[in-house]
Structures are given as structure tokens and as C-alpha cells.
């Protein structure tokens, strides 16, 4: 899917809505014999590769599963600490799957707030008068588009760099937000959006853009 | 590709036939510790409202945060990382060398991706007359107190390409 995720941030910088499309995350599964030549270290609640990059396993990748069973934070599903488990030669040969770690909801909250501040700093450091904040941020793997409404709500879309029609999609999401979140009598302003119709219509809008590439004037 | 930068509004002419004028507002160079090695300004219409030192720190901090943000957000492994960002009025181009030197350039919105230009600014390149630049590229020392990079900003105003030469301040 060419659109990776959608974030909605309120006036204060708090994340009020987040949607992730299926993303092709780089993963590699390999079978290892003792001793393991990849150096692992525990970081936050994950086990990350710190040395020994090879064959699709990069530094910064997390251990996702061992012998086909997904990990539970730093422990295997049966509660054994992963680093201890991998030090014991009895457990080998072992099949480990590495990949880019998925973001936890806490991390998404922190990143959304971080972007809210970066948006403002982008406007402050502007060499031109009357600049907005960061509207588009480009990297080699994704493009981040941001639309700030007059009321201070930011709609942020992460998409493939070649995807077109994101500007009209941002306006369309704003429309969907006004129709299905703001007009919902049970929704409070600036609070997390938990409106089914908003979810449904957002997914529909994303599908239309991915198929057609751009929004027509009639939608 | 030889780049000539002129002082004033028409900053960057890539191809004389198309006669496109693009504006370069300013340029920052940072070392890997965040110290500002160089700053040049050509066409800046609005100052940040804080002292220059604070502005360098804010710029470096913003770029450091953007890099960390992009690293976490990216769905796939990145090769070049953060490239540019744009607002409604300007575009910021970013280039980082393996040694940690960061070249940051603010231009108007019409400038396409110019990573090779930023790389040239870092490495020195050849001057217009084909004389090979014999000065070694940007050098910096570990202590902040000695700035060992001197950018010859005067040459920019005469339309000569950017040359970097080591020196002591």
C-alpha cells in the first residue's frame, strides 16, 4: 500500500487519531547455530541488533520472534529472558526473525508531539516572512505531508515518495473529520476520535487515492 | 557540475538556456558535535528573533530531532535518510557526510533536490577555470575552541564557486 499511516494531532500537540495501513516492513528470518555472531542488546522493551549486520539483518532491527513464536517484550512467550535463552547452547539451532520494530502507541504519541514542535520550529527559523510550519518532509523511503487547519488541528500522512494526490487527500480527511467526528454529538473537541463512521470513511478515502492516484473535483 | 552562486536575488542558475532564477536564502555548516562551522546569508528577509548562537543551536537541535523522528517513523530501512522539508515559503535541504558534518541550505520552493550541490559545497570541487582545488576538504578538530574551517565568503559575491580551505581562527 502506498499510504503508510495517518495521524491527527490536536491544538496542544496530542495525538487524537492514528491509522496504520499494512506496510511492507523489512524482515528477515534465519536459523542460527551456537554461538550467535550477532550482538544483541536490550533497549527499552525490545531486543535490538547492535552489531553484526548481514544478509538483510541491519543494526537497529529488533528480534521479532524465536522459532516462529512472537516475543513478549524482552521475554519469549513462555517468559524466558531472550538474551539468557540465546546464551545457552542447548537451545540451538534456533530460528530468529529480525525486522524493523513496530511503534508502540506510546511511541506514536511521543512522535506526534515531537512533530508538532518541529512544525513550529520550522516556521520560526524561516528566512522568509509569513511561512507556515513544515508541510512536507521528504526522506528516501517515505514522504510526510502535513496540513494544519485554521483551528490548529494537524492532519499528517506518511506515504510512498511517489504517491500523488496527497494534498487533496488531506483536504478530504479534513472534510471527513468535520462530517463524522465534529458533527458526532458524543465527540468532545480535542479528544481522541472514536467514531466508527470516521474510521470507515477514512479507509474508503485512502483506498480511492491509492487506486486512482488523485481526487476528482466531484468527490 | 560547476555551481556559481551570485550575491542577491537570482541565486542559482543551473542552466543558462532555461534562465530559471532560484533563490538561496542561507547556508549552515555544522560539525558532528553541533558546533556551527560556517553560516552564510544571501537573501534572508526575516531573522529568527533570537541571537545567532541560539539560532545555530535551534537549527542543529531541530535537525537532530528530525533525524531521530525519521529513523523511528520510517517503514523501511533508510539509506540516505532525511533529505529535505518544505513549508509554504521555503525549502530546507540537508546533507550529512559519514564524518558527521552537516550541510543545510534554505532555498525558495522552486529548487529541486540538490544533494550533489551540498556535497560539492562540502568537498570543494574545481573552480571555474579548471584549476584543481588542491586544498584538502573541510577539516575540523576535536576542540570547539579552534575553528579550523574558513569559508571564503568573499569569493561567493564575485560569482566564483564555493571553495573550502582549512585555516585557523
Amino acid at each position: 500500500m502506498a499510504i503508510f499511516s495517518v495521524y491527527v494531532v490536536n491544538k496542544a500537540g496530542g495525538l487524537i487519531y492514528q491509522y496504520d495501513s499494512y506496510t511492507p516492513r523489512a524482515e528477515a528470518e534465519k536459523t542460527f547455530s551456537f554461538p550467535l555472531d550477532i550482538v544483541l542488546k536490550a533497549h527499552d522493551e525490545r531486543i535490538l541488533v547492535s552489531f553484526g549486520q548481514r544478509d538483510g539483518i541491519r543494526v537497529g532491527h529488533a528480534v521479532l520472534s524465536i522459532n516462529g513464536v512472537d516475543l513478549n517484550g524482552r521475554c519469549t512467550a513462555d517468559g524466558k529472558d531472550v538474551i539468557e535463552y540465546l546464551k545457552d547452547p542447548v537451545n540451538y539451532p534456533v530460528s530468529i526473525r529480525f525486522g524493523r520494530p513496530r511503534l508502540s502507541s506510546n511511541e506514536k504519541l511521543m512522535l506526534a508531539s515531537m512533530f508538532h514542535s518541529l512544525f513550529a520550529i520550522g516556521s520560526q527559523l524561516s528566512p522568509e516572512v509569513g511561512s507556515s510550519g513544515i508541510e512536507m518532509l521528504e526522506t528516501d523511503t517515505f514522504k510526510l505531508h502535513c496540513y494544519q487547519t485554521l483551528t490548529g488541528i494537524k492532519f499528517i500522512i506518511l506515504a510512498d515518495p511517489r504517491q500523488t494526490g496527497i494534498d487533496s487527500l488531506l483536504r478530504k480527511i479534513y472534510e471527513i473529520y468535520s462530517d463524522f467526528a465534529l458533527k458526532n454529538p458524543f465527540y468532545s473537541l480535542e479528544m481522541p476520535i472514536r467514531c466508527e463512521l470516521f474510521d470507515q470513511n477514512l479507509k474508503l478515502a485512502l483506498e480511492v487515492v491509492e487506486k486512482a492516484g488523485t481526487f476528482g473535483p466531484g468527490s | 557540475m560547476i555551481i556559481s552562486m551570485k550575491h542577491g536575488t537570482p541565486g542559482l542558475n543551473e542552466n543558462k538556456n532555461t534562465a530559471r532564477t532560484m533563490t538561496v536564502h542561507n547556508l549552515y555548516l555544522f560539525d558532528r558535535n553541533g558546533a556551527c562551522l560556517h553560516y552564510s546569508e544571501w537573501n534572508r528577509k526575516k531573522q529568527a528573533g533570537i541571537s545567532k548562537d541560539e539560532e545555530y543551536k535551534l537549527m542543529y537541535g531541530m535537525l537532530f530531532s528530525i533525524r531521530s523522528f525519521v529513523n523511528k517513523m520510517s517503514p523501511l530501512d533508510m539509506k540516505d535518510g532525511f533529505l529535505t522539508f518544505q513549508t509554504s515559503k521555503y525549502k530546507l535541504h540537508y546533507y550529512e557526510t559519514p564524518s558527521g558534518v552537516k550541510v543545510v541550505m534554505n532555498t525558495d520552493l522552486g529548487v529541486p533536490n540538490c544533494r550533489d550541490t551540498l556535497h560539492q559545497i562540502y568537498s570543494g570541487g574545481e573552480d571555474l577555470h579548471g584549476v584543481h582545488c588542491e586544498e584538502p576538504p573541510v577539516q575540523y578538530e576535536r576542540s570547539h575552541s579552534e575553528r579550523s574551517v574558513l569559508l571564503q565568503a568573499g569569493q561567493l559575491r564575485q560569482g566564483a564557486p564555493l571553495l573550502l580551505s582549512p585555516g585557523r581562527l
Side-chain angles (χ1 to χ4, degrees):
Chain A
M1 293 256 172
I3 296 184
F4 302 136
S5 25
V6 178
Y7 292 76
V8 183
V9 178
N10 68 12
K11 259 205 297 260
L15 186 65
I16 59 175
Y17 184 80
Q18 202 279 316
Y19 171 72
D20 272 332
S21 228
Y22 167 74
T23 51
R25 300 195 83 97
E27 284 177 9
E29 180 152 23
K30 287 183 74 60
T31 310
F32 297 92
S33 55
F34 189 81
L36 191 64
D37 52 357
I38 296 179
V39 178
L40 301 173
K41 75 166 195 269
H43 181 74
D44 287 341
E45 275 308 306
R46 297 201 187 99
I47 310 285
L48 299 179
V49 174
S50 74
F51 186 79
Q53 184 164 303
R54 61 162 191 170
D55 291 343
I57 301 168
R58 308 253 317 239
V59 169
H61 277 195
V63 177
L64 299 176
S65 73
I66 289 191
N67 292 329
V69 179
D70 283 343
L71 288 191
N72 187 2
R74 284 193 201 172
C75 306
T76 63
D78 0 339
K80 283 176 274 196
D81 182 66
V82 171
I83 307 228
E84 293 305 317
Y85 182 85
L86 290 173
K87 279 189 185 151
D88 193 350
V90 158
N91 297 316
Y92 285 81
V94 69
S95 162
I96 309 178
R97 186 155 55 96
F98 294 94
R100 275 192 79 82
R102 264 168 222 280
L103 295 171
S104 66
S105 353
N106 251 349
E107 286 179 327
K108 287 179 190 166
L109 265 157
M110 289 194 288
L111 288 171
S113 307
M114 194 191 277
F115 182 75
H116 172 85
S117 314
L118 294 172
F119 183 93
I121 299 176
S123 157
Q124 186 185 5
L125 288 174
S126 164
E128 285 259 28
V129 175
S131 167
S132 72
I134 298 177
E135 289 187 342
M136 201 271 289
L137 190 139
E138 185 171 358
T139 73
D140 53 355
T141 50
F142 71 94
K143 248 192 202 172
L144 181 149
H145 302 255
C146 177
Y147 171 55
Q148 181 174 47
T149 70
L150 293 165
T151 50
I153 307 278
K154 288 189 207 20
F155 296 96
I156 298 164
I157 292 183
L158 262 78
D160 189 279
R162 296 154 296 181
Q163 179 73 36
T164 56
I166 301 286
D167 283 336
S168 45
L169 176 62
L170 283 167
R171 307 287 184 281
K172 180 75 183 172
I173 295 182
Y174 186 24
E175 248 181 69
I176 295 173
Y177 167 75
S178 351
D179 283 338
F180 301 106
L182 293 182
K183 289 180 190 170
N184 182 330
F186 300 110
Y187 174 67
S188 324
L189 220 51
E190 314 288 313
M191 290 286 117
I193 301 173
R194 304 232 185 281
C195 311
E196 229 180 87
L197 285 174
F198 179 77
D199 293 332
Q200 286 171 9
N201 282 275
L202 179 71
K203 288 190 184 105
L204 278 173
L206 292 178
E207 276 171 28
V208 171
V209 168
E210 280 169 355
K211 288 195 183 113
T214 176
F215 259 105
S219 41
Chain B
M1 188 173 76
I2 304 298
I3 307 296
S4 71
M5 296 166 95
K6 293 193 184 124
H7 180 62
T9 317
L12 198 71
N13 277 314
E14 285 182 9
N15 185 341
K16 282 180 188 158
N17 294 333
T18 59
R20 272 183 306 175
T21 53
M22 300 179 218
T23 316
V24 177
H25 298 296
N26 49 8
L27 176 81
Y28 301 77
L29 250 103
F30 295 100
D31 74 2
R32 63 168 175 242
N33 298 318
C36 183
L37 297 172
H38 177 80
Y39 173 71
S40 284
E41 195 174 283
W42 291 278
N43 189 18
R44 185 172 187 167
K45 300 193 183 102
K46 171 187 161 285
Q47 298 298 324
I50 47 179
S51 76
K52 270 299 180 244
D53 275 338
E54 282 184 25
E55 184 186 318
Y56 301 150
K57 277 193 251 181
L58 187 61
M59 174 61 81
Y60 185 81
M62 177 181 75
L63 294 168
F64 188 86
S65 305
I66 290 181
R67 271 179 46 235
S68 146
F69 173 81
V70 154
N71 248 315
K72 291 228 162 130
M73 286 288 229
S74 176
L76 303 163
D77 296 311
M78 298 192 300
K79 195 168 70 73
D80 297 325
F82 168 54
L83 300 169
T84 70
F85 77 66
Q86 70 183 55
T87 73
S88 59
K89 297 275 177 171
Y90 77 98
K91 191 167 182 180
L92 181 142
H93 304 257
Y94 176 80
Y95 174 67
E96 184 178 354
T97 69
S99 54
V101 173
K102 299 162 178 59
V103 187
V104 183
M105 188 162 77
N106 288 335
T107 67
D108 72 355
L109 294 174
V111 179
N113 208 323
C114 55
R115 228 169 133 72
D116 356 315
T117 311
L118 298 183
H119 177 73
Q120 274 212 314
I121 291 175
Y122 166 70
S123 65
E126 294 182 8
D127 75 21
L128 278 171
H129 303 290
V131 174
H132 195 70
C133 174
E134 289 190 353
E135 307 281 4
V138 177
Q139 291 176 357
Y140 57 94
E141 312 216 340
R142 283 174 198 207
S143 71
H144 287 243
S145 57
E146 295 182 84
R147 289 241 230 108
S148 55
V149 171
L150 189 85
L151 196 69
Q152 292 168 353
Q155 286 194 327
L156 282 171
R157 293 198 188 96
Q158 291 151 28
L162 226 52
L163 287 178
L164 293 172
S165 64
R168 273 173 201 262
L169 263 162

